[in-house]
Amino acid sequence: ASLPMFLSLSNIEAPTEFLKPLEDVSIMEGETAIFECEVSKPRLNAKWFKDGKEIKSTKRIKTTMEATKHFLTIKDCVLDDEAKYSVKLLEATSEATLLVEEEPVTITLPLKDKTCIEHESVSFTAE
């Protein structure tokens, strides 16, 4: 006679879930963007992606973790940083979009009136 098999509930691991998924971020050019998420299990390795390509940390782009929270920080954002970002932890994935607004142009040195004689060259400078 064969013995009945019993499953131990302690051996069944709950799936990884997002307690706080990524949210879209909208910032001005030159500012710092921070994506944050929280998952149901601590100390998991996260893989971050920009438009489907894995992100590697640099001086400007950092990935960090604090227990169940994971962060992607992008300093001094440029227009090329605008993309769809995602994070993958085991079987769980979350994604959000970064919108980078172009910094408005401001005139720091306005044009000044000039007087000249006919047929003479004149130049104007603005910043």
Side-chain angles (χ1 to χ4, degrees), residues 23-28 31-33 35 97-101:
E23 294 180 1
D24 292 347
V25 175
S26 182
I27 60 164
M28 292 295 293
E31 293 181 343
T32 297
F35 285 101
T97 302
L98 173 61
L99 298 170
V100 181
E101 295 182 41

Side-chain angles (χ1 to χ4, degrees), residues 46-86:
K47 288 187 177 182
W48 289 89
F49 301 88
K50 175 185 176 185
D51 286 336
K53 294 181 181 174
E54 191 169 353
I55 296 171
K56 302 294 181 195
S57 287
T58 65
K59 287 181 180 180
R60 199 173 67 83
I61 301 172
K62 298 272 185 223
T63 59
T64 54
M65 170 185 52
E66 295 174 8
T68 57
K69 292 183 179 182
H70 296 266
F71 305 90
L72 173 66
T73 304
I74 307 168
K75 295 180 181 177
D76 302 320
C77 282
V78 295
L79 295 178
D80 284 347
D81 290 324
E82 187 168 290
K84 188 169 292 276
Y85 289 84
S86 58

Side-chain angles (χ1 to χ4, degrees), residues 37-54:
C37 66
E38 186 172 3
V39 289
S40 57
K41 297 177 185 176
R43 297 177 301 281
L44 293 177
N45 287 329
K47 288 187 177 182
W48 289 89
F49 301 88
K50 175 185 176 185
D51 286 336
K53 294 181 181 174
E54 191 169 353

Side-chain angles (χ1 to χ4, degrees), residues 111-116 120-126:
L111 293 174
K112 293 182 180 176
D113 292 339
K114 294 203 174 190
T115 304
C116 68
E120 201 176 70
S121 294
V122 67
S123 65
F124 293 91
T125 303

